[in-house]
Amino acid sequence: QKEVEQNSGPLSVPEGAIASLNCTYSDRGSQSFFWYRQYSGKSPELIMFIYSNGDKEDGRFTAQLNKASQYVSLLIRDSQPSDSATYLCAVNTNDYKLSFGAGTTVTVRA
Amino acid sequence: GAVVSQHPSWVICKSGTSVKIECRSLDFQATTMFWYRQFPKQSLMLMATSNEGSKATYEQGVEKDKFLINHASLTLSTLTVTSAHPEDSSFYICSARSGRGVTNEQFFGPGTRLTVL
């Protein structure tokens, strides 16, 4: 079983819609959870992190964490063409390492 | 703040040569630096973890004699790909952790694209 799994893409949404990305993890002891955005040919950039159960909002992005279900999600509201990228879910395991999911590619149609 | 640089941004070399990639934290001291490799359309794979002044810890399947890591200071780590071969062609990305706060956030460098002919 993979440590971090993301819903398979690609995910195509119209401009202005909500994009919903899901991620599950296997290590129940995980403490911190991250969403990174990666444009083609570029390195990942951090969008949000969350470590408490519930929702965390930052602008058009909302991260949701449910530790009991070992589930973390990212909502992108009012999606823009510039949001088209691959979104990586990462989970802090031990020794400060991050375990990454395979990523979900999002395409926002203008 | 929290800027990480890498040099070079891309490199093309002949098979059998060695390539050194530098990773610097520009505005903070990095207690730990990480080296990742990413093949096309795949996710990041952690290669090794390095702490300043100590030997790097390599992930399973990563040859420590082929991928030499030196973390000489709190702001600089280097990865040397020795005797590079075409299968080593990949996107190499470093990240740095400051050690402050509770989130264990990693800041990523812009990456180095290595092509071995």
Side-chain angles (χ1 to χ4, degrees), chain B residues 70-88:
Chain B
N70 184 284
H71 194 157
S73 74
L74 284 172
T75 60
L76 173 64
S77 177
T78 61
L79 167 68
T80 301
V81 183
T82 63
S83 187
H85 291 284
E87 58 266 29
D88 297 322

Side-chain angles (χ1 to χ4, degrees), chain A residues 24-39:
Chain A
T24 58
Y25 58 95
S26 60
D27 186 350
R28 188 170 288 277
S30 300
Q31 295 295 319
S32 306
F33 308 86
F34 305 83
W35 283 101
Y36 286 87
R37 177 175 61 197
Q38 186 175 26
Y39 293 112

Side-chain angles (χ1 to χ4, degrees), chain B residues 26-97:
Chain B
L26 298 184
D27 51 2
F28 67 100
Q29 293 185 326
T31 55
T32 308
M33 288 185 170
F34 304 86
W35 286 96
Y36 296 84
R37 181 168 52 183
Q38 187 176 36
F39 292 106
K41 299 191 182 301
Q42 295 186 24
S43 191
L44 279 74
M45 295 301 297
L46 179 65
M47 299 175 66
T49 303
S50 74
N51 294 292
E52 183 263 339
S54 62
K55 290 184 178 181
T57 302
Y58 291 80
E59 295 299 301
Q60 190 174 9
V62 178
E63 301 174 57
K64 62 179 182 180
D65 294 330
K66 181 172 181 63
F67 299 99
L68 302 179
I69 292 173
N70 184 284
H71 194 157
S73 74
L74 284 172
T75 60
L76 173 64
S77 177
T78 61
L79 167 68
T80 301
V81 183
T82 63
S83 187
H85 291 284
E87 58 266 29
D88 297 322
S89 299
S90 187
F91 191 41
Y92 291 86
I93 310 172
C94 73
S95 71
R97 172 181 168 270

